[in-house]
Amino acid sequence: MNSRGWLWAIAALLLLFAGLMGAFLKTGRNIGALLTAEESTVHAAQAKKRIVLIGQEQGNPYWESILQGAEREANSRGIQLRYMAPARINPEEQIRLLDYAISTAPHAILVQGLNRPEQGRLIEKAADQGIAVLAVDADEPGSRRLAYVGTDNLAAGRALGELIAKAIGATSGKSAGPAVQAGSAEPPAINQPTSNPSKPDATAEVGVLVANAFSYSQQLRLEGLKQALARYPGLRITEVRESGNSVLKAAQQGRELLRSGGNVRVLAGLSALDGPGLAISAEEETRKQVLVYAFDLLAETELALEQCRITATMVQEPEKMGREAVRLAAQYGKAEDRRELAFTPVRVRTSAEAREGRGCP
């Protein structure tokens, strides 16, 4: 081959090499673009699955259980969960935290219903921005929240009232409507009227504690309790006091209720820390036997059941509330407009069950 032929061959090889390099560089750019797009999609999906849980109070055992359930469900789904709560019970601070949470544009916010106009307006604001809001523990009726996850508090209060009436032996005078146990489709045995015409009607005054008067969930429990006891002429609520979410204050309020005169034979606490406090005050009472009823199952409550200082407690499932709230929140899209009621069950745990059938001394 002459020199001109060699030159043409080399030129052809150079052109071929240049073409291959161009194709290689173009493929690399396409792959890079695809990876960047995929990474952006992943980041966007992760950002959409960021959920904020606003609790009632830091360190509260009941809300710690809700948080644990929410964290377990969030971790299993690869969701980022942030928890915020006031240092002490403070509805105004909860509302401020909700406003702040909205500004961070999460996929969803889980918040305790306060039944306040300010919170309703903020839920409206969140909904307008495509943020799913779910009420946990207490509902926010009439708002644009997508679901309520928690106890049917009105039904739980009714069930507690029927439990008290049965223990006292009161006879029913009138019906206040069906008193079903929360989470149950049919009235449980504890809700059946205990009427015995041949026996004189038993009477008792009931002293009631709530952690705070502005708690919507406890307002509903109190209303349900009143509805149930209204069926029994021999039973009446003598006074409702606040415990401030403190065992010590609950004990002090219990002492005052028992020493206020009258026929207070029953003490009922509608929040988790009320029961252990009332058990202390009832144990100090030597003039008469006092029946104590509680909500939730803290370690102190279980011990008081075993020692016969609490007669029975209404056991909620806060851990399940947290799990179910995150599960539902993860499923909601921006365009959805649901009004779900996801009631979690409530069961009764008695002193006899805690003592494995052994009677109290």
Side-chain angles (χ1 to χ4, degrees), residues 40-246:
S40 298
T41 302
V42 170
H43 287 322
Q46 289 175 343
K48 284 179 62 177
K49 298 304 180 184
R50 184 167 52 84
I51 295 176
V52 177
L53 169 61
I54 300 174
Q56 184 184 41
E57 179 186 36
Q58 293 178 16
N60 182 294
Y62 176 81
W63 278 92
E64 287 294 320
S65 294
I66 292 177
L67 174 59
Q68 289 171 8
E71 286 177 333
R72 290 191 182 101
E73 187 68 22
N75 291 336
S76 71
R77 294 174 176 270
I79 293 172
Q80 180 185 352
L81 180 72
R82 181 177 182 184
Y83 181 66
M84 300 186 293
R88 297 293 297 168
I89 294 178
N90 186 333
E92 287 74 21
E93 180 63 17
Q94 285 178 274
I95 290 171
R96 285 192 290 270
L97 290 174
L98 174 57
D99 196 17
Y100 170 75
I102 293 170
S103 72
T104 67
H107 172 66
I109 300 174
L110 313 178
V111 63
Q112 183 189 40
L114 301 174
N115 198 29
R116 292 193 171 197
E118 311 96 290
Q119 180 155 286
R121 286 192 289 269
L122 285 175
I123 292 175
E124 180 89 12
K125 176 182 175 181
D128 288 342
Q129 296 180 20
I131 300 171
V133 178
L134 287 79
V136 181
D137 174 63
D139 199 3
E140 191 69 34
S143 72
R144 289 177 63 186
R145 60 103 176 107
L146 295 183
Y148 165 62
V149 182
T151 296
D152 183 341
N153 287 294
L154 187 65
R158 289 175 182 158
L160 176 60
E162 296 292 344
L163 192 66
I164 292 171
K166 184 175 182 178
I168 293 295
T171 56
S172 175
K174 61 181 178 178
S175 174
V180 297
Q181 186 177 357
S184 174
E186 298 180 359
I190 63 168
N191 291 327
Q192 303 304 317
T194 55
S195 178
N196 185 354
S198 63
K199 178 182 176 182
D201 189 25
T203 62
E205 293 179 353
V206 182
V208 180
L209 289 191
V210 295
N212 50 75
F214 51 74
S215 171
Y216 185 51
S217 61
Q218 289 173 61
Q219 290 173 10
L220 288 174
R221 291 174 197 171
L222 179 59
E223 177 60 28
L225 178 62
K226 288 179 177 178
Q227 289 179 7
L229 295 185
R231 302 174 61 205
Y232 302 93
L235 300 180
R236 74 179 185 92
I237 295 176
T238 182
E239 193 173 354
V240 179
R241 295 190 174 201
E242 294 183 74
S243 67
N245 210 36
S246 162

Side-chain angles (χ1 to χ4, degrees), residues 310-322:
I310 290 181
T311 306
T313 187
M314 308 296 292
V315 184
Q316 303 182 93
E317 296 196 19
E319 197 268 350
K320 187 172 183 178
M321 291 179 199

